[in-house]
Amino acid sequence: MPQNGRYGDFGGQYIPETLMNEIHRLEEAYEYYSNNKEFIEELDRLNREYAGRPSLLYYAEKMTKDLGGAKIYFKREDLNHTGSHKINNVLGQCLLAKKIGKTRIIAETGAGQHGVAAATAAALLGLECEIFMGREDTVRQALNVYRMELLGAKVNAVTSGTMTLKDAVNEAMRDWTTRVDDTLYVLGSVMGPHPFPMIVRDFQSVISREAREQILEREGRLPTAVVACVGGGSNAMGMFYNFIGDKEVRLIGCEAAGRGIDTKETAATVATGTLGVFHGMKSLFCQDEYGQIAPVYSISAGLDYPGIGPEHAYLHETGRAEYVPVTDEEAVKAFEYIARTEGIICAIESAHAVAHVMKLAPELSKENIIICCLSGRGDKDVAAIARYRGIDLHE
């Protein structure tokens, strides 16, 4: 649990006065329902019967043999209903919204996976749903825009700023301040003002709870390293959380380096960012010399965010977790590699983690085990990767 909404020096509640009462109400409601037997049982049932949990822990035998070195396992969040880890969090938050009497949810989305998951849960639970998505991302992820609309959600294309994820968050926050009475902002990552980083982490921690049990059952021991991609950081925090107390397990987050951390076209927050306050939290952000949030870039819409969740910033500062930058080119190569060796088309976000596994595994002996979180599936990315490789799918 964070102390007073903080993880060391990070976190907090840097929000307009108009939202403070609502945030406190949310905090109290979450504290009650997270310990409520009926709520826990209902969420467990939805996770099992609707989302398809537990997700598989898959031994990547061909990759392990091809790379040499450590045994590689994938935690298959890409097999969840809606195709990513995002469903874990939205089922919890949408169920919470119903319990506290909200009739409408709003959400931000980058790659569209959180938006699709939010629209899905809203349809299931009978909630009105509105999604905010940067105009740039609506073009990159047109398939997911249609999926959200098909599920009954209204999708707002945000045209301010860089027209990407940070601007979508801005617009969602702005909307929430005008409609707190009937609306819950279903935040998609471990970021924003307290209690959001804690709520999202708790709902996503099912990933590492299952993975820890599964690897002990399969191998009789814990992994050497746990690896996950990091934008805001929800799948990574979910993958790390139940291993944090196991000091012998390395926790490795893979950031989007874009065209390189020595260029301005990057989204690697830990590698290039500094301490700041943005989107209601104190954390690390990509900023200019005046403290203004800098434009960021990644081939991956889901990692294209100029900050990182406060608990990740704390894990970095204390040295408990390592954060490594992965370039577009490395991620695309990994996207192609895992498809050809294991027959898995993973999300380009997840491919950032796969890219680091491809480097790490050969450096470790055969006695070591790596678990990598495949946060989502890659159907949504195929056209973009084809374009990146100069292939015109419409010829």
Side-chain angles (χ1 to χ4, degrees), residues 19 104-109 130-133 156 158 165-179 183-187 279:
L19 280 177
R104 174 179 179 260
I105 63 153
I106 57 171
E108 86 297 334
T109 198
E130 208 159 324
I131 306 293
F132 295 86
M133 188 173 190
N156 299 289
V158 176
L165 184 55
K166 84 172 171 63
D167 311 292
V169 176
N170 290 342
E171 289 303 314
M173 282 277 194
R174 196 169 290 129
D175 179 275
W176 196 31
T177 59
T178 67
R179 288 192 61 173
T183 299
L184 178 66
Y185 180 10
V186 175
L187 230 159
H279 285 159

Side-chain angles (χ1 to χ4, degrees), residues 113-136:
Q113 290 300 90
H114 176 56
V116 168
T120 299
L124 176 72
L125 296 171
L127 297 162
E128 185 189 340
C129 179
E130 208 159 324
I131 306 293
F132 295 86
M133 188 173 190
R135 169 67 56 82
E136 180 74 18

